[in-house]
Amino acid sequence: MAKAKSQQSLDRWTKQKLIAPSEKPSGETGQVYAPSATISKLKSTAAGKKKLAAANAKKREATKAGKQFASHGLHKGKKR
């Protein structure tokens, strides 16, 4: 039996290596988690570094306010 589209998406998501930009636990640094490929791509350009810094600032602000999730713009198509 074939998997539903949502199950296929979940399989792809669980195979991704999610990391924080510093590669330290997010709880210690307050940084966003994203796929390692996305982090590497962002770290490779000045504009990407700026976007990553803005996302981390939004994440830290949301965490300080007691929120579990932050709308930082790195995850395409996901709105909270």
Side-chain angles (χ1 to χ4, degrees), residues 48-80:
K49 289 177 186 177
K50 189 174 180 179
K51 186 174 183 178
L52 198 52
N56 285 330
K58 286 181 182 181
K59 171 67 175 169
R60 287 184 184 116
E61 185 179 312
T63 301
K64 192 181 263 189
K67 295 181 182 178
Q68 182 178 2
F69 303 107
S71 296
H72 48 70
L74 291 184
H75 302 296
K76 296 177 185 176
K78 302 290 181 190
K79 295 188 180 185
R80 292 193 186 263

Side-chain angles (χ1 to χ4, degrees), residues 20-72:
S22 66
E23 298 187 22
K24 294 180 181 177
S26 181
E28 292 176 11
T29 62
Q31 296 178 332
V32 297
Y33 272 120
S36 59
T38 301
I39 296 293
S40 295
K41 186 177 177 182
L42 288 169
K43 287 172 118 177
S44 68
T45 65
K49 289 177 186 177
K50 189 174 180 179
K51 186 174 183 178
L52 198 52
N56 285 330
K58 286 181 182 181
K59 171 67 175 169
R60 287 184 184 116
E61 185 179 312
T63 301
K64 192 181 263 189
K67 295 181 182 178
Q68 182 178 2
F69 303 107
S71 296
H72 48 70

Side-chain angles (χ1 to χ4, degrees), residues 7-34:
Q7 291 171 319
Q8 292 171 3
S9 176
L10 182 59
D11 283 346
R12 282 190 306 275
W13 182 81
T14 56
K15 290 177 184 174
Q16 292 180 5
K17 182 182 177 196
L18 298 175
I19 62 169
S22 66
E23 298 187 22
K24 294 180 181 177
S26 181
E28 292 176 11
T29 62
Q31 296 178 332
V32 297
Y33 272 120

